Amino acid sequence: MLQAETLQLLCLTASSGVPLFSRGSSKPLPFSIIGSLNGVHMFGAGHGAQLLSCDTERGSRVVWGVFQESLMLIAVSGVGSSSTSEMQLRLLLENVWNCMVMVLGQDELANIRNVERLKRELRSCYRLIDLLLERVNDDQGFMGHLTQCADCLLPSHSGLLQEALESFTQAADSEFGCLLVNGRVGQATEKWWSRLAPQEVVVLSALVHSLSGTSSCDYPVFLPQGSPTVAIRLLCFKLLPGINVCVLCGPKPSLYKAENELVSRFWSPLVETLRSCLEQADRSTLPPSLNLRWDIQALLLISRESRRAVTFCPRIRGGAPAEATPLISSTRRLELLRLFYTFAVTRYFPSEETSISSASSTSKPTLEDFSQGFTHVPVQCYLVTDECKCYGLQSPQHQLYLLTDLSVPTFALRSMATQTLSAITAATSF
């Protein structure tokens, strides 16, 4: 249906199958195929069968999702795109639905009054949807679409930035504030982490990143879980190219007052600190003072309580011996990291965070029953491939997914992962 390394998203009305939009591949699927994908799903539903996904003989993968019995989303991965798992596609559908709810509100989507009008209104979601599609297999290290955790940057001057953010948010009559650096959360208030659902934080971060071209904006948003029918003000301000601060607030303050009084008062004294954050973000998501082993090729660290995540993929091997093999490309390492994460959470570490919300007709994620035969709860797993070795470690507070050089002895992976986790948490309080 599609060529290799392509991904297409279709949106149709659930009752009549009227196409609303198609995003992704530069060569859209023919209308006849779109009709067939909708028809086979409707045929199954009419006979009491729920069609969730399928793979074609040539290697394409199709995933269906119906939301609020109103809209059907279909994700189609191209021929040979084996790195795009069913779990990724299903979470993509969930994130796209949350994106549409955030921009338009649930009432507008659940109760379709005029199809042509809805088509026009959905155009306001295209930029955000396209960003979510790009991140499915991107090479920038964004994993929030897959982990349902906010992609974070751990800045060196976190104390100063946190204090400024708290003061700025309080001055804006709010408790929900966030500082984003190149699309990643640098700092956020306590209520941002505790009161917003993880999926809301992921989509909000993507939304602010998609709006980063404007110097400031006053944008109404609906929180997919917290407030799907009543809009809340989202104020966004560009502090520097690549750095944005945002707050969720009520009718006050006005955009003019916040931009001309509050922003300069709280952030002008920290311009150099913000510049150093940008410089750090260009190199690594971890503080430069943190020195990890040279044979770590990539890692994903998740804080299970706050649903935050940081991805590390070094560009060069600092301190590597002369005989060390060259690093494989960062794109390939991030692809392997996504594959290993999917492997681990579908077999060893399944949890409620990987489930799909009740907004979809799919009540369960496509997790395998592999771990149901265990008499214990797995806390570690490893995998040896032709390109690297992988190790997963789960504790009550964290999950760590580690990719290492093939030269690391398999028996040493456990201690290496434990030491790496301890080093990062001790240095950053993550």
Side-chain angles (χ1 to χ4, degrees), residues 198-244:
Q199 297 87 350
E200 292 172 342
V201 175
V202 170
V203 180
L204 269 172
S205 300
L207 175 62
V208 174
H209 189 49
S210 70
L211 298 172
S212 59
T214 59
S215 59
S216 63
C217 66
D218 188 341
Y219 200 90
V221 297
F222 300 83
L223 300 179
Q225 296 185 32
S227 182
T229 58
V230 179
I232 300 173
R233 290 179 72 204
L234 174 67
L235 297 183
C236 299
F237 305 97
K238 180 193 290 186
L239 304 180
L240 290 173
I243 298 186
N244 297 82

Side-chain angles (χ1 to χ4, degrees), residues 124-144:
S124 60
C125 305
Y126 285 178
R127 181 185 298 182
L128 182 53
I129 291 173
D130 291 344
L131 178 61
L132 294 175
L133 287 168
E134 291 171 5
R135 288 185 175 180
V136 171
N137 290 305
D138 81 331
D139 58 358
Q140 301 300 313
F142 287 97
M143 297 275 188

Side-chain angles (χ1 to χ4, degrees), residues 157-309:
H157 307 283
S158 59
L160 286 173
L161 296 174
Q162 185 69 28
E163 182 179 352
L165 178 64
E166 296 280 357
S167 301
F168 174 76
T169 304
Q170 184 176 3
D173 294 328
S174 175
E175 296 178 306
F176 299 85
C178 180
L179 180 71
L180 288 117
V181 183
N182 287 342
R184 289 183 168 84
V185 178
Q187 300 292 146
T189 60
E190 188 275 334
K191 289 292 180 65
W192 188 275
W193 295 124
S194 63
R195 296 285 294 277
L196 298 180
Q199 297 87 350
E200 292 172 342
V201 175
V202 170
V203 180
L204 269 172
S205 300
L207 175 62
V208 174
H209 189 49
S210 70
L211 298 172
S212 59
T214 59
S215 59
S216 63
C217 66
D218 188 341
Y219 200 90
V221 297
F222 300 83
L223 300 179
Q225 296 185 32
S227 182
T229 58
V230 179
I232 300 173
R233 290 179 72 204
L234 174 67
L235 297 183
C236 299
F237 305 97
K238 180 193 290 186
L239 304 180
L240 290 173
I243 298 186
N244 297 82
V245 65
C246 63
V247 293
L248 293 171
C249 61
K252 293 183 180 180
S254 66
L255 179 65
Y256 178 84
K257 178 181 179 180
E259 183 177 16
N260 291 277
E261 297 181 18
L262 303 184
V263 171
S264 58
R265 186 201 311 174
F266 293 103
W267 296 107
S268 293
L270 297 178
V271 170
E272 293 306 316
T273 303
L274 294 172
R275 291 188 194 279
S276 68
C277 283
L278 276 177
E279 294 174 359
Q280 175 190 332
D282 291 337
R283 298 189 301 268
S284 172
T285 55
L286 298 175
S289 59
L290 181 61
N291 295 317
L292 299 180
R293 293 175 49 139
W294 68 268
D295 42 13
I296 293 177
Q297 296 199 4
L299 67 81
L300 169 65
L301 177 61
I302 294 174
S303 172
R304 301 179 66 189
E305 181 178 357
S306 62
R307 302 306 299 160
R308 295 181 294 159

Side-chain angles (χ1 to χ4, degrees), residues 92-120:
L92 171 66
L93 299 188
E94 178 73 10
N95 289 329
V96 169
W97 167 258
N98 286 334
C99 148
M100 295 191 295
V101 172
M102 183 165 287
V103 175
L104 300 179
Q106 185 172 287
D107 286 345
E108 195 72 23
L109 301 171
N111 305 298
I112 301 176
R113 301 173 183 86
N114 186 304
V115 173
E116 293 303 318
R117 176 187 171 188
L118 181 59
K119 281 184 180 180
R120 293 192 298 269

